[in-house]
Amino acid sequence: MPIFEIQGPDGATYEIDAPDEASALKGFQGFASPPAPRSGKHLSFEEGQALLDADERANSASGALGAGLTGLVDGVPIAGPMILGATQRAAAGLTSAIDGGSYEDRLKQAQDITSRAQDAHPYITTGANITGAVGGMLPAAMAAPAAFGGGPGSLLLRSLYSTITGGGIGAADSAVRSEGDPKAIQNGAMWGAGTGFIGPAVGKAVGAGANKLLEMFRGGQAAKAAGTTRYAVNKLREAFDADNLDVPTAQGRLSDLGPEGMVADIGDNIRGRTAALANMSGEGNAVVRDALEARRAGANSRIRTSVDENLGRNIVPSDVIDDIAANQQALSPAYEEAFRGVRPYDISPVADDLDRSISRLRGPAQRKLQQVRGMLNVDGADALSSNPRVHFETRQAIDGMLATEADPKVIRALSEARQMIDDSLADAVPGLKEIDGRYAELARQRDAIGRGQQVLDSGRTAPRPSELAAEVEAGAQPQPFHVGPSAVPLRLSQGARAEVDRILGTNANDVQRLNRLIKTEGDWNRDRLATLFGQEKADRLFKVLENELAFARTREFVTGNSATAGRQQHIEALGGSPDPAIIRQAYAAGGVPGAVRGAGLKTADKLFRTIMDGRTQEKNKALADLLVSNRPEVLQLMSPNGLSPNRQRLIEQMTQSILLGAGTARAR
């Protein structure tokens, strides 16, 4: 085969075996800076063709892929060069074993293929190097101790940690690549430490920026879907944050307030925003005040409805007592029938006992028993009557005496006398005790009505909750000669219900006073009402009273005239109280005097305020609509719309690893 001599770019002459001159030139183009041939400057055709093929492969898609893969591996700090070298040596050993060639030649060939591919695709190689460096640095960025936390000092701690790890990795990587060159090691440590120090701060800024952008995008979409504006949502979220409210807590508070609750009720700073709107001009003012007044107008109706639902239908105590008296009077025919045909009865044992007591006692008790003893005689004679009706009337007279007596000794003596006469009547008049039992049950019901009206008192007449519970339990027990359960507990609850109605009627427009009178400062009235009506019903009523009190306080705070510093701050936050001289002051800063210009500036000020007030009022109306609403979707708007904490942290770590990787790559 002919040999052609071709002069290379380095001035040397190269000998190339080729079938013709064109083929020789084509073969020589395979290497711009050819490696030294095996012998002198002579390059065989096969070697030239191989070099040409290598260049073609380096410039092909497979070459780009190879540049990317090898650049990616080589970019990994410290371990990258080792892994790439190990891969090349493994490939050389394998090909040498297959074709029997020299291991050194095959290793050189593998290294040449890598070099040609990377030289042919510098951008891919550089990008892959940086990617490898970033990937290698990511574990270091993520390995910052969790103990650093998120407090004020955590950023500095992470920066110090990153400086140390970045500097160490940069120095070690440079040592591996430079085979221990001190200058290269120093350069790698400087770049690694520098990028490591700024990495956490830059990462935090990038993460916060990404979170903010996503919040703005998602927040705008959510606000639009809810029929409001991003401005209104942001202003409401500011108040939420100031109140340390999260969505579940806010939802719980609003749910507790019932269907009449408003977002304005659930936090102090939220009420502050509402008060600001109620004291600024514009539609927002009317929206807030109209909503609060409408809710206030329905307070009495809501309270009465709750009382009716939980405590039952109201009664008029005097009407019930009159009905009871009429029922007692209706027993008169039964008494007449019981005494019809009754036989005479010897009452002397009772009279003898009274005589003994009279002879022993002194004072009012003696005189009262003397009166009773005289009542047992035949009228106008000093002889005992054997007529059971006389004995019955004597018992009735004793009841009248006991009703007004206060002396405990007299009461005891009269009670004993009554009991003896009552026992004799039970023997003398068959069926009388059954009628007495019915009469006594009605009397107990009458007394229970009055007692029920005292249970909500705060004075000494009011029973303790335990005492009332004992009274209810005792009252429910049927008395002797009375069939069936007693209605005393019902009458107690009716009396209490009537007292609640009286309190409502005399304090209809004062919800705070209603709460003080019905609820009191402790839990006694809650426990008393729970005893009479059940715990669940008492809790529901008290919840309504608590809610109405919260509504009243919101209205008082929002519509009151107290111009506190906090309210002024909220007004300014919503665009109120603008500087009326903003244009005048800006223009006057130029030092141009003159009354004519002053008048013109005054007109400009007025126009500016008109434009700005209109925009502010329009935006604040949307906020007012949110504050007086009870819609669940309003609270959902307060949910974070940005990145989750884990994703934001990942972005911070990736940013940090990019900086570390770039610094390490820059030092090579």
Side-chain angles (χ1 to χ4, degrees):
M1 183 175 292
I3 298 176
F4 295 90
E5 291 184 351
I6 297 177
Q7 187 174 5
D10 58 354
T13 300
Y14 294 89
E15 295 179 351
I16 299 177
D17 294 339
D20 51 44
E21 186 175 0
S23 298
L25 289 172
K26 184 178 180 182
F28 184 76
Q29 292 172 359
F31 54 97
S33 299
R38 294 181 182 177
S39 58
K41 298 295 183 178
H42 185 84
L43 188 68
S44 69
F45 176 76
E46 289 77 7
E47 288 176 321
Q49 189 64 43
L51 289 173
L52 182 61
D53 292 342
D55 270 352
E56 289 178 350
R57 285 194 301 271
N59 286 282
S60 66
S62 61
L65 178 61
L69 292 175
T70 56
L72 181 66
V73 173
D74 189 41
V76 176
I78 304 174
M82 301 178 184
I83 296 172
L84 181 60
T87 303
Q88 291 172 337
R89 288 191 293 273
L94 181 62
T95 54
S96 176
I98 293 174
D99 62 11
S102 168
Y103 169 79
E104 288 75 12
D105 289 344
R106 296 296 176 261
L107 177 59
K108 187 176 181 182
Q109 185 179 23
Q111 293 171 340
D112 185 56
I113 291 173
T114 300
S115 177
R116 286 176 178 274
Q118 291 183 351
D119 290 344
H121 303 281
Y123 296 113
I124 294 177
T125 302
T126 301
N129 278 163
I130 294 175
T131 303
V134 170
M137 287 295 188
L138 186 58
M142 298 178 68
F148 291 169
S154 66
L155 181 60
L156 177 59
L157 291 174
R158 290 200 302 272
S159 296
L160 292 175
Y161 172 84
S162 182
T163 300
I164 295 171
T165 55
I169 293 173
D173 182 64
S174 296
V176 170
R177 296 176 188 275
S178 67
E179 297 181 353
D181 181 9
K183 186 175 181 180
I185 294 173
Q186 182 182 8
N187 190 43
M190 286 178 53
W191 277 99
T195 53
F197 181 76
I198 66 173
V202 174
K204 188 175 182 65
V206 171
N211 182 62
K212 188 67 176 179
L213 288 174
L214 189 59
E215 272 194 346
M216 291 176 60
F217 175 72
R218 288 180 175 174
Q221 287 187 321
K224 185 176 181 180
T228 186
T229 65
R230 190 170 64 193
Y231 167 86
V233 172
N234 289 340
K235 290 300 180 182
L236 182 56
R237 183 178 284 118
E238 288 175 3
F240 261 66
D241 293 342
D243 286 325
N244 292 320
L245 274 178
D246 54 28
V247 173
T249 302
Q251 288 174 331
R253 291 184 184 180
L254 196 59
S255 176
D256 286 344
L257 292 172
E260 295 298 325
M262 298 178 181
V263 174
D265 299 313
I266 64 177
D268 292 338
N269 283 281
I270 298 175
R271 274 189 290 272
R273 286 285 156 98
T274 310
L277 291 176
N279 288 274
M280 295 170 62
S281 60
E283 291 183 72
N285 178 299
V287 169
V288 169
R289 289 181 175 268
D290 289 350
L292 293 177
E293 290 302 323
R295 184 171 69 176
R296 175 177 178 271
N300 290 335
S301 175
R302 290 191 296 273
I303 293 173
R304 288 189 175 277
T305 297
S306 178
V307 170
D308 288 340
E309 290 176 349
N310 294 294
L311 304 188
R313 182 179 60 86
N314 184 41
I315 57 98
V316 178
S318 59
D319 291 344
V320 176
I321 291 174
D322 289 344
D323 289 342
I324 290 174
N327 289 333
Q328 288 179 317
Q329 188 64 34
L331 293 175
S332 296
Y335 278 111
E336 292 295 332
E337 183 63 28
F339 281 98
R340 191 185 306 279
V342 70
R343 296 181 180 183
Y345 185 78
D346 182 10
I347 198 73
S348 59
V350 175
D352 293 342
D353 193 281
L354 289 174
D355 288 337
R356 286 191 293 272
S357 296
I358 290 170
S359 65
R360 176 173 47 82
L361 295 172
R362 295 294 183 270
Q366 183 187 51
R367 290 192 295 272
K368 291 293 184 180
L369 285 187
Q370 287 173 341
Q371 293 179 25
V372 172
R373 175 64 182 80
M375 294 177 191
L376 293 176
N377 289 340
V378 176
D379 189 28
D382 188 16
L384 280 173
S385 173
S386 61
N387 186 351
R389 185 175 287 276
V390 172
H391 308 157
F392 177 77
E393 294 298 335
T394 301
R395 190 189 72 175
Q396 297 294 87
I398 294 174
D399 287 340
M401 296 165 70
L402 287 170
T404 58
E405 186 56 61
D407 189 332
K409 191 172 182 180
V410 174
I411 292 174
R412 183 169 59 253
L414 289 175
S415 297
E416 292 174 355
R418 186 192 188 284
Q419 186 61 53
M420 290 188 293
I421 296 172
D422 190 64
D423 291 342
S424 67
L425 283 172
D427 294 336
V429 184
L432 179 63
K433 298 308 295 178
E434 284 76 9
I435 303 172
D436 283 345
R438 290 155 60 189
Y439 190 94
E441 167 64 16
L442 291 171
R444 294 173 69 225
Q445 291 183 28
R446 179 197 60 221
D447 295 341
I449 287 288
R451 183 59 165 166
Q453 292 174 294
Q454 296 176 338
V455 298
L456 298 182
D457 289 350
S458 58
R460 297 179 63 183
T461 59
R464 292 175 172 81
S466 59
E467 293 172 338
L468 179 61
E471 289 181 28
V472 171
E473 183 178 359
Q477 303 302 319
Q479 299 302 301
F481 305 103
H482 179 261
V483 179
S486 173
V488 167
L490 171 64
R491 298 306 187 189
L492 282 169
S493 65
Q494 287 180 329
R497 170 66 179 86
E499 178 63 10
V500 170
D501 189 71
R502 185 193 67 79
I503 294 172
L504 288 175
T506 56
N507 300 276
N509 296 316
D510 192 342
V511 176
Q512 294 194 38
R513 182 169 174 78
L514 279 176
N515 272 266
R516 287 196 300 270
L517 292 175
I518 296 178
K519 291 179 57 183
T520 69
E521 294 183 359
D523 291 331
W524 275 20
N525 276 357
R526 181 189 291 267
D527 293 339
R528 290 162 177 162
L529 291 179
T531 297
L532 295 175
F533 301 99
Q535 188 67 56
E536 184 178 353
K537 291 181 178 180
D539 288 344
R540 284 203 298 262
L541 173 60
F542 274 58
K543 189 61 184 175
V544 168
L545 291 174
E546 290 169 1
N547 289 346
E548 293 298 336
L549 179 59
F551 300 160
R553 287 173 175 170
T554 294
R555 176 185 172 277
E556 181 180 352
F557 179 84
V558 169
T559 61
N561 294 321
S562 176
T564 63
R567 176 176 296 182
Q568 293 303 315
Q569 289 177 355
H570 284 294
I571 290 175
E572 292 175 7
L574 298 179
S577 301
D579 186 351
I582 185 170
I583 293 181
R584 183 186 304 113
Q585 292 173 356
Y587 192 82
V592 181
V596 176
R597 288 190 178 89
L601 293 174
K602 185 176 181 180
T603 302
D605 276 351
K606 185 176 181 180
L607 177 61
F608 178 80
R609 289 198 303 272
T610 301
I611 295 173
M612 294 304 295
D613 285 350
R615 294 184 60 189
T616 300
Q617 291 174 14
E618 181 180 355
K619 292 190 297 183
N620 285 338
K621 179 182 179 300
L623 175 59
D625 289 333
L626 296 184
L627 289 168
V628 300
S629 72
N630 190 280
R631 296 181 295 154
E633 57 266 30
V634 171
L635 299 182
Q636 288 299 330
L637 292 173
M638 299 299 103
S639 298
N641 289 316
L643 296 165
S644 67
N646 287 339
R647 290 186 177 180
Q648 185 170 343
R649 177 63 179 154
L650 180 60
I651 289 178
E652 294 175 6
Q653 292 168 340
M654 290 182 65
T655 304
Q656 184 178 347
S657 64
I658 288 172
L659 288 173
L660 283 169
T664 304
R666 175 65 178 81
R668 295 168 187 170

